[in-house]
Amino acid sequence: FMVYSIGYSLAQGAVLGMFSKVVGRVPQGELMGWFSVVGAVSRVIYPLLSGYIVYYNTIGLLCIILIATLVISIIYVLAN
């Protein structure tokens, strides 16, 4: 709980700052809005999906899915 409550608040500001630097001189309002919407939706969907997976399957399957998602994300970031 402490890692999430402290880490999320610190990382959110840094990520928004980097996002605004990447966007550059383009009007940022709509893009920042979409960024916030996607973040809010993911904070609702992923816990629900995790609970569903653990309830109907095993926690091992959840770990495999999370590890696969992490690996795919790392590969995508490093490839671009």
Side-chain angles (χ1 to χ4, degrees), residues 36-50:
S36 296
V37 166
V38 170
V41 169
S42 68
R43 285 190 299 276
V44 172
I45 297 294
Y46 279 121
L48 290 174
L49 280 174
S50 298

Side-chain angles (χ1 to χ4, degrees), residues 1-13:
F1 175 75
M2 290 294 290
V3 171
Y4 181 77
S5 63
I6 294 171
Y8 175 76
S9 59
L10 292 174
Q12 181 67 13

Side-chain angles (χ1 to χ4, degrees), residues 1-2 8-9 13 15 20 23 25 33-35 38 41 46-47 49 51 53 56 60-62 70-71 73:
F1 175 75
M2 290 294 290
Y8 175 76
S9 59
V15 169
S20 68
V23 171
R25 299 184 60 86
W34 279 109
F35 187 81
V38 170
V41 169
Y46 279 121
L49 280 174
I53 291 169
Y56 289 106
L61 178 63
L62 177 63
L70 179 64
V71 168
S73 299

